[in-house]
């Protein structure tokens, strides 16, 4: 009978997967990729006697379930990380590659594969240790971490409790080193998220670290300071592994610098997205990285991206350790999906990362500024100051990295502004007079305002076109799988917006008297337009710095290269007295280095943004439907203004001809018409759909309700999914008359297992599900109960002693508690309550995530205000 039930369940799951992966209807059905399978269970109430305060606790447990998620066949637990020598070299030694076996692994909490991966890593490290020479000491530890703490994640307060998570630590040092010597930490995680093999995130990190450890031992180099490799097994559960290391490990206070290796995609050069505290880590990177790809503006943008890394544990929350956050950013289509496989890794990415890391480790271990925690604290106490300034740095085409401190930035970024302010005086020395200087400065101001209006219109016009297109299109984000469409649609109309001020004010409203200055009006107008554009970039650069941000290098480089370009242009005008192709070439050629960098930086930014728009969340309609297209259109418009804007003062009168303007508008309209023939998703750019089976229980053995719940994380709603994957709609018995008005909307609290990521969802749908076979699979459900009589204190508070049982569930990923009521304390997070959640003026709710396998139940106490 049990075999029959299993066959029925397997058959039902197979039909569901076939409905999602059906080849009927072309690539459109295959593009609807279900991201995760989650099964929230258990709803319990803990009530207090009448006339006293009430506390309600709701628990959500998520075991793994192979429904609507493509899972590998065979024994998952036997497929772990593969290690294979490669003919390429990392600093002269044999490199590595990930094998197909890792792509078939499910290395997440609750799975046997995670334990097998930890054992595999430890085995590889032991093999490396056996090859070590007598002048090197190698220590390997397999540690189990437990803990509880509060944090703010995505702007929401949450408490985290964990137990029995595995960290594997390797320390390489010279035989003469001391335990207190400052060390360099290299951190990477070997767990993966639900439904993802994790080849990029973060199997590539594990492979890089294994090879670095091997290379350190085999190369003959003896590190002058210890190197610690931390393979942490619980990053995807909100950085638990790194928290456990920083709060319990004996080597935590010896760390003088760290490198966090991460992946938000499947390759590309590893970008330094965060650096600090202070400017020393980025300075070391600038001097030692062989393939530098870093810019300080990434730290200004990173908080906007919905996510975080272990960097915060080491540099911000618990360590204040100087370090780098190096992340694969490209290939974000596959991030946290079942398509994050070895085949998707971009060629050469891991090789370049390995060479960068080995060079960085050498630089950090040789640096005189490497200090342990005690030395850092003593230095701060002695000098009464800390190095918290953020430097300005950026790579040029990954050839080299330009770096300067914030104090230097104040001077450098202020020079263009000083030139802009003094230029009216310098240019009118032969006709000196207060009125002449004021008139010239006034014209420069008008030129700057006209250029600013052009930049604004360059962003606004693509937004208008994007909104108009959506009124006549059946879906948004046509550019998602085809980024070139975004440039085809929005670059031409952005150029039109950039040129509109030149058309409207074709005759520049001069304040200067051309007859007094003995110059033509065209010459004075051209001068005002150039210095206006120069002043715009100069003032924007300085304003960016004054705001406390670390970018501004793009506009700074534009303003710097505009000066020699203008000098060459003016010199070329003297022989003929008017503009020609030769004079235009003399202006453009000196600008090529700055424009090349602008295209390089802007193209990378646009590609990264487009890839991430598929997981940035779905806002409620009607506005949410337009947001992704508006964001991409505005971004393309702004980068077009940066790339073309410096050319407008000189070539604007050539481009602003009516024939050219009409052609540009026709190109945008034609591109939008063509884009309507493209489907937003493809086999390489999937739509993310989140699915869960929700079971509401009254106690450990009674089912009150069972339902399927769906949500999406981009602007194309679930009806888009059901329309283009009709087999899924048929499986759920969805008719053509379904609408948001008639459908059952899923409540926000039902997605509690994903809190606070669940706030990226909107208008999730709920469909009835059969519950007949559920009791056959699970004997007992998770439930809360009191394990000890409550106690009332003299202070006027009452203490409840609760026990959370996970029932007969297996492979539990995470349990989430939503405790609502007037709490004054609890046993978690050192008796400190997290920032509460409130809904529509209701009582406070305290969220807690519990993870980690154990035969024992979770026990905790709550102190309630009376």
């Amino acid at each position: 009978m049990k075999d029959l039930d299993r066959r029925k369940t397997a058959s039902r799951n197979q039909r569901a997967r076939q409905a999602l992966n059906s080849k009927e209807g072309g690539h459109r059905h295959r593009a609807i990729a279900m991201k995760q399978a989650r099964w929230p269970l258990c709803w319990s109430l803990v009530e207090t006697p009448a006339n006293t305060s009430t506390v309600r606790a709701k628990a959500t447990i998520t075991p793994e379930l192979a429904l609507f998620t493509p899972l590998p066949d065979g024994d998952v637990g036997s497929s772990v990380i593969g290690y294979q020598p490669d003919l390429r070299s990392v600093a002269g030694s044999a490199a590595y590659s990930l094998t197909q076996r890792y792509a078939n692994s499910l290395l997440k909490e609750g799975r046997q594969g995670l334990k097998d991966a930890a054992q595999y890593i430890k085995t590889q490290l032991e093999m490396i240790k056996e090859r070590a020479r007598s002048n090197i000491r190698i220590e390997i530890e397999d540690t189990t971490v437990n803990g509880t703490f509060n944090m703010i994640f995505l702007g929401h307060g949450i408490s985290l409790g964990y137990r029995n998570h595995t960290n594997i630590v390797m320390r390489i040092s010279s035989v003469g080193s001391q335990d207190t010597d400052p060390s360099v930490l290299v951190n990477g995680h070997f767990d993966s998220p639900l439904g993802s093999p994790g080849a990029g995130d973060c199997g590539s990190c594990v492979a890089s670290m294994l090879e670095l450890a091997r290379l350190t031992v085999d190369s003959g180099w003896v590190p002058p300071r210890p190197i610690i490799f931390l393979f942490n097994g619980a990053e995807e559960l909100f950085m638990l592994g790194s928290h456990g290391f920083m709060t319990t490990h004996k080597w935590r206070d010896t760390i003088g610098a760290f490198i966090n290796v991460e992946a938000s995609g499947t390759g590309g050069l590893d970008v330094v997205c965060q650096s600090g505290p202070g400017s020393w880590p980025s300075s070391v990177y600038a001097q030692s990285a062989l393939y530098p790809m870093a810019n300080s503006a990434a730290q200004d943008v990173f908080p906007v991206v919905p996510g975080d890394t272990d960097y915060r544990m080491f540099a911000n929350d618990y360590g204040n350790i100087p370090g780098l956050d190096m992340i694969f950013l490209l290939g974000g289509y596959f991030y946290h999906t079942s398509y994050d496989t070895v085949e998707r890794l971009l060629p050469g990415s891991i090789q370049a990362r390995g060479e960068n890391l080995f060079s960085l480790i050498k630089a950090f271990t040789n640096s005189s500024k490497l200090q342990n925690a005690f030395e850092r604290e003593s230095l701060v106490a002695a000098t009464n100051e800390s190095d918290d300034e953020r430097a300005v740095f950026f790579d040029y085409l990954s050839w080299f990295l330009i770096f300067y401190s914030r104090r230097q930035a104040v001077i450098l970024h202020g020079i263009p502004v000083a030139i802009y302010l003094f230029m009216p005086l310098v240019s009118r020395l032969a006709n000196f007079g207060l009125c002449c200087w004021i008139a010239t400065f006034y014209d420069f101001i008008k030129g700057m305002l006209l250029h600013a209006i052009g930049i604004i219109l360059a962003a606004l016009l693509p937004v208008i076109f994007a909104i108009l297109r959506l009124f006549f299109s059946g879906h948004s984000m046509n550019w998602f799988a085809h980024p070139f469409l975004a440039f085809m649609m929005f670059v031409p109309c952005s150029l039109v917006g950039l040129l509109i001020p030149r058309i409207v004010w074709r005759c520049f409203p001069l304040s200067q008297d051309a007859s007094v200055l003995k110059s033509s009006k065209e010459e004075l107008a051209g001068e005002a337009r150039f210095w206006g554009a120069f002043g715009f970039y100069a003032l924007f650069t300085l304003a960016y710095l004054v705001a406390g941000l670390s970018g501004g290098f793009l506009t700074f480089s534009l303003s710097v290269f505009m000066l020699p370009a203008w000098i060459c242009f003016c010199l070329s005008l003297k022989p003929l007295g008017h503009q020609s192709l030769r004079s235009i070439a003399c202006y453009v050629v000196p600008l090529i280095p700055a424009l090349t960098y602008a295209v390089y930086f802007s193209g990378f930014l646009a590609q990264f943004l487009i890839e991430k728009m598929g997981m940035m969340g779905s806002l409620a309609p009607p506005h949410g439907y337009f947001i992704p297209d508006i964001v991409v259109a505005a971004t393309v418009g702004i980068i077009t203004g940066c790339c073309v804007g410096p050319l407008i003062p000189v070539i604007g009168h050539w481009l602003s001809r009516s024939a050219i303007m009409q052609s540009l508008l026709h190109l945008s309209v034609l591109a939008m018409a063509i884009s309507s023939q493209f489907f937003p998703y493809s086999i390489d750019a999937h739509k993310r759909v989140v699915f869960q089976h929700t079971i509401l229980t009254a106690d450990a053995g009674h089912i009150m309700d069972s339902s399927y719940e769906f949500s999406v994380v981009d602007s194309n709603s679930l009806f888009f999914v059901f329309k283009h994957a009709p087999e899924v709609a048929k499986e759920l018995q969805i008719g053509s008359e379904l609408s948001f008005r008639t459908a059952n909307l899923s409540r926000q609290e039902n997605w509690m297992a994903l809190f606070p990521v669940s706030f990226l969802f909107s208008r999730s749908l709920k469909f009835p599900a059969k519950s007949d076979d559920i009791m056959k699979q699970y004997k007992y459900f998770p439930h809360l109960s009191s394990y000890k009589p409550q106690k009332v204190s003299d202070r006027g508070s009452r203490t409840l002693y609760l026990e959370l049982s996970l029932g007969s569930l297996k492979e539990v990923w995470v349990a989430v508690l939503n405790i609502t009521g007037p709490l004054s304390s609890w046993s978690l997070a050192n008796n400190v309550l997290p920032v509460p959640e409130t809904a529509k003026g209701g009582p406070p709710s305290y969220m807690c995530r519990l993870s980690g396998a154990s035969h024992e139940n979770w026990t905790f106490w709550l102190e309630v205000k009376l």
Side-chain angles (χ1 to χ4, degrees):
M1 189 66 182
K2 292 183 179 179
D3 292 339
L4 179 61
D5 292 337
R6 283 196 294 267
R7 287 197 297 270
K8 287 182 178 179
T9 302
S11 176
R12 182 170 63 255
N13 293 351
Q14 182 65 24
R15 289 199 307 272
R17 286 195 292 268
Q18 289 175 351
L20 290 172
N21 297 317
S22 173
K23 296 183 179 179
E24 298 179 13
H27 68 278
R28 297 189 176 191
H29 299 293
R30 296 195 299 272
I32 310 297
M34 291 297 176
K35 177 177 180 282
Q36 297 162 331
R38 306 178 186 273
W39 195 332
L41 300 174
C42 187
W43 154 265
S44 300
L45 292 178
V46 179
E47 298 184 352
T48 55
N51 302 321
T52 59
S53 301
T54 301
V55 174
R56 186 182 67 187
K58 180 177 179 179
T60 300
I61 320 301
T62 60
E64 290 295 322
L65 179 67
L67 181 63
F68 282 145
T69 302
L71 298 179
D73 297 328
D75 183 8
V76 174
S78 65
S79 299
V80 294
I81 298 174
Y83 184 91
Q84 170 183 324
D86 194 4
L87 296 179
R88 297 172 298 176
S89 64
V90 175
S93 298
Y96 61 86
S97 66
L98 290 172
T99 65
Q100 190 66 38
R101 294 178 64 195
Y102 182 84
N104 290 333
S105 299
L106 290 177
L107 311 179
K108 56 186 71 63
E109 177 58 34
R111 284 279 184 178
Q112 180 62 33
L114 185 63
K115 299 178 182 178
D116 293 342
Q119 183 58 45
Y120 176 84
I121 293 170
K122 189 174 181 181
T123 301
Q124 293 297 319
L125 296 180
E126 293 289 351
M127 293 170 60
I128 294 173
K129 181 178 180 179
E130 292 176 359
R131 298 202 302 269
R133 301 175 307 281
S134 59
N135 58 348
I136 288 183
R137 178 192 302 154
I138 294 183
E139 301 165 82
I140 301 173
E141 292 188 0
D142 183 351
T143 62
T144 300
V145 293
N146 310 276
T148 176
F149 64 103
N150 296 331
M151 71 184 305
I152 300 293
F153 187 72
L154 300 183
H156 298 272
I158 189 169
S159 186
L160 299 144
Y162 62 96
R163 60 189 180 186
N164 300 330
H165 288 306
T166 300
N167 284 341
I168 302 172
V169 187
M170 180 187 202
R171 187 176 187 262
I172 303 177
S173 61
S174 63
V175 291
S177 65
Q178 303 296 321
D179 289 340
T180 58
D181 286 350
S183 57
V184 177
L185 173 73
V186 182
N187 173 74
H189 67 91
F190 61 89
D191 63 322
S192 63
L194 287 172
S196 175
D201 181 26
C202 207
S204 63
C205 311
V206 172
S208 298
M209 294 169 61
L210 285 174
E211 177 62 11
L212 282 172
R214 184 203 63 77
L215 180 60
T216 303
V217 171
D218 292 351
S219 63
W221 172 61
V222 179
R225 310 285 181 82
I227 303 171
I228 299 174
F229 292 93
L230 170 59
F231 300 84
N232 88 68
E235 189 271 348
E236 299 293 353
L237 296 171
F238 293 7
M239 292 79 73
L240 303 183
S242 55
H243 175 270
F245 178 87
M246 289 304 300
T247 54
T248 63
H249 202 277
K250 63 182 180 181
W251 292 329
R252 66 184 185 275
D253 290 331
T254 69
I255 301 171
F258 75 92
I259 304 172
N260 182 54
V261 189
E262 252 294 359
S264 183
T266 55
L269 290 177
D270 46 336
V271 182
V272 176
C273 291
Q274 299 182 92
S275 172
S279 58
W280 173 58
S282 52
S283 175
V284 172
Y285 182 87
Q287 297 170 17
S288 58
L290 301 180
Y291 307 101
M293 190 167 188
N295 63 77
S296 48
Q299 297 184 119
D300 304 331
V301 179
F302 191 84
V304 180
V305 180
D308 220 326
T309 71
D310 286 322
Y311 174 90
R312 69 176 290 178
M313 291 295 168
F314 302 122
N316 299 330
D317 293 357
Y318 291 93
N320 198 35
I321 304 170
L324 301 170
D325 198 14
M326 300 174 62
I327 306 177
F328 280 166
L329 289 183
L330 295 182
Y333 292 124
F334 315 112
Y335 174 66
H336 282 196
T337 72
S338 58
Y339 295 90
D340 184 8
T341 59
V342 172
E343 294 79 14
R344 306 288 184 179
L345 294 177
L346 299 181
S349 298
I350 301 180
Q351 176 71 21
R353 168 190 272 175
E355 295 186 28
N356 271 348
L357 286 174
F358 193 56
S359 180
L360 282 169
I361 289 175
K362 285 187 172 183
F364 275 122
T365 54
N366 283 289
S367 176
S368 60
K369 294 185 178 181
L370 189 70
Q371 301 171 325
N372 59 32
F374 175 76
E375 292 170 339
R376 288 195 303 271
E377 293 173 0
S378 300
L379 180 63
V380 171
T383 60
N384 199 26
E385 61 180 25
S386 59
D387 179 20
D388 292 330
E389 72 170 18
R390 294 167 58 181
V392 178
F393 54 90
F394 59 97
D395 69 284
Y396 187 81
L397 308 184
S398 195
W399 295 347
F400 55 88
L401 192 136
I402 298 173
F403 172 94
Y404 46 94
S405 67
R406 195 167 191 85
R407 294 179 182 178
Q408 293 171 329
V410 172
I411 299 173
L412 292 175
H413 291 190
I415 290 176
V417 176
I419 293 175
Y420 173 71
L421 295 177
F422 281 98
M423 201 59 205
L425 178 62
V426 174
S427 63
R428 298 296 177 258
L429 287 177
N431 302 278
F432 182 74
L434 181 61
C435 294
C436 181
W437 179 83
I438 292 176
T440 304
F441 184 71
Y442 189 37
D443 283 342
F444 286 10
I445 292 292
K446 286 187 285 187
M448 184 178 66
L449 292 176
L450 291 179
H451 194 80
I453 292 173
I455 297 293
I456 293 172
L457 292 176
L460 183 60
L461 211 60
V463 169
I464 295 174
F465 272 68
I467 293 173
L468 291 176
R469 186 192 70 83
L470 291 177
F471 281 121
F472 299 98
S473 175
H475 42 255
S476 65
M477 297 175 59
N478 290 44
W479 35 260
F480 180 65
H482 317 281
F484 66 89
L485 287 176
F487 295 97
M488 289 177 58
M489 290 188 294
F490 302 134
V491 168
C493 58
S494 176
L495 290 174
V496 172
L498 197 61
L499 293 167
I500 284 178
R502 191 62 181 255
I503 298 172
V504 176
W505 289 279
R506 190 172 294 275
C507 295
F508 191 88
L510 286 171
S511 299
Q512 305 172 78
D513 190 340
S515 60
V516 173
L517 298 174
K518 298 179 181 180
S519 300
S520 65
K521 291 184 177 181
E522 291 76 12
E523 183 180 351
L524 294 177
E527 182 186 49
R529 287 191 174 98
F530 170 80
W531 288 110
F534 176 86
F536 172 82
Y537 296 121
L539 289 173
F540 182 88
T541 300
L542 187 59
Y544 200 92
L545 187 68
V546 171
L549 303 176
S550 301
F553 48 81
L554 176 58
T555 51
F556 174 68
S557 64
L558 292 176
S559 61
V560 167
F561 280 89
M562 285 177 72
L563 287 175
W566 180 250
I567 293 173
C568 293
F569 175 74
C570 292
L571 293 176
S572 67
L573 287 179
K574 288 186 177 181
L576 297 177
H578 59 82
Q579 284 192 25
S580 63
L581 291 178
R582 179 174 177 271
S583 61
I584 291 176
C586 289
Y587 180 79
V588 173
V589 170
L591 272 175
I592 288 178
L595 297 180
T596 302
Y597 178 75
V599 172
Y600 161 78
F601 176 81
S602 302
F604 182 88
L605 175 64
Q607 180 65 34
F608 170 74
L609 179 66
I610 288 173
E611 291 180 358
K612 289 301 179 184
M613 291 310 295
M615 56 176 292
M616 293 296 284
S618 59
L619 300 177
H623 306 98
Y625 179 68
F626 297 90
I627 294 299
D629 282 76
I630 290 175
V631 170
V632 170
T635 302
V636 172
I638 292 173
I639 64 178
T640 301
C642 290
C643 295
V644 184
L647 301 174
I648 295 301
V650 172
I651 66 173
H653 73 286
W654 295 84
L655 296 178
S656 59
R657 296 175 181 178
S658 60
I660 295 179
M661 299 288 282
Q662 291 176 13
S663 299
L664 291 173
L665 289 175
H666 289 161
L667 283 175
S668 280
V669 174
L670 179 62
M672 290 181 183
I674 294 174
S675 71
S676 63
Q677 304 302 313
F678 285 82
F679 195 65
Y681 311 98
S682 71
I683 195 65
D684 292 322
H686 311 91
K687 180 174 178 62
R688 298 168 186 258
V689 179
V690 185
F691 161 79
Q692 70 177 13
H693 186 181
T694 305
I695 301 172
L696 185 65
T697 63
D699 49 44
H702 180 65
I703 298 176
M704 297 178 61
D705 185 42
S706 175
S707 62
Y708 293 134
E709 299 187 68
F710 289 84
S711 191
V712 294
V713 288
D714 65 30
S715 60
N716 287 313
S717 70
L718 281 169
F719 291 112
F720 174 90
V721 177
F722 299 144
K723 175 182 178 181
H724 295 284
E727 291 82 0
V728 178
K730 182 179 180 181
E731 187 75 17
L732 296 172
Q733 299 180 352
I734 299 174
S736 58
E737 69 283 354
L738 182 69
S739 68
F740 278 116
R741 293 183 178 180
T742 59
N744 292 323
L745 296 181
S746 175
R747 300 174 63 181
Q748 183 73 40
E749 63 183 23
N750 288 358
W751 296 95
M752 191 169 58
L754 296 178
F755 178 90
V757 179
S758 55
F759 284 96
L760 298 176
F761 307 161
S762 68
R763 307 197 86 180
S764 307
L765 295 181
K766 176 180 177 181
F767 303 93
K770 295 180 179 179
S771 59
D772 300 342
D773 297 334
I774 296 176
M775 292 301 299
K776 298 177 182 178
Q777 299 181 41
Y778 302 103
K779 186 176 181 180
Y780 300 108
F781 290 112
H783 59 280
L784 284 169
S785 60
S786 297
Y787 70 92
K788 182 178 178 181
Q790 58 181 284
K791 182 174 64 176
V792 179
S793 69
D794 298 335
R795 298 178 300 167
S797 63
R798 183 161 46 88
T799 303
L800 304 177
Y801 299 90
L802 302 179
E803 180 179 25
L804 173 63
S805 170
L806 302 181
S808 56
L809 299 185
K810 298 180 180 179
E811 297 183 344
V812 176
W813 180 60
V814 67
V816 181
L817 296 176
N818 176 2
I819 302 173
T820 303
L823 298 185
S824 57
S825 183
W826 62 0
S827 59
L828 303 170
N830 297 322
N831 309 134
V832 178
L833 294 171
V835 176
E837 293 288 318
T838 56
K840 298 180 181 179
S845 294
Y846 302 92
M847 309 298 297
C848 179
R849 288 169 59 101
L850 305 174
S851 64
S854 175
H855 296 296
E856 298 180 358
N857 294 333
W858 289 95
T859 58
F860 55 95
W861 54 260
L862 308 174
E863 187 177 85
V864 186
K865 301 176 185 177
L866 294 178

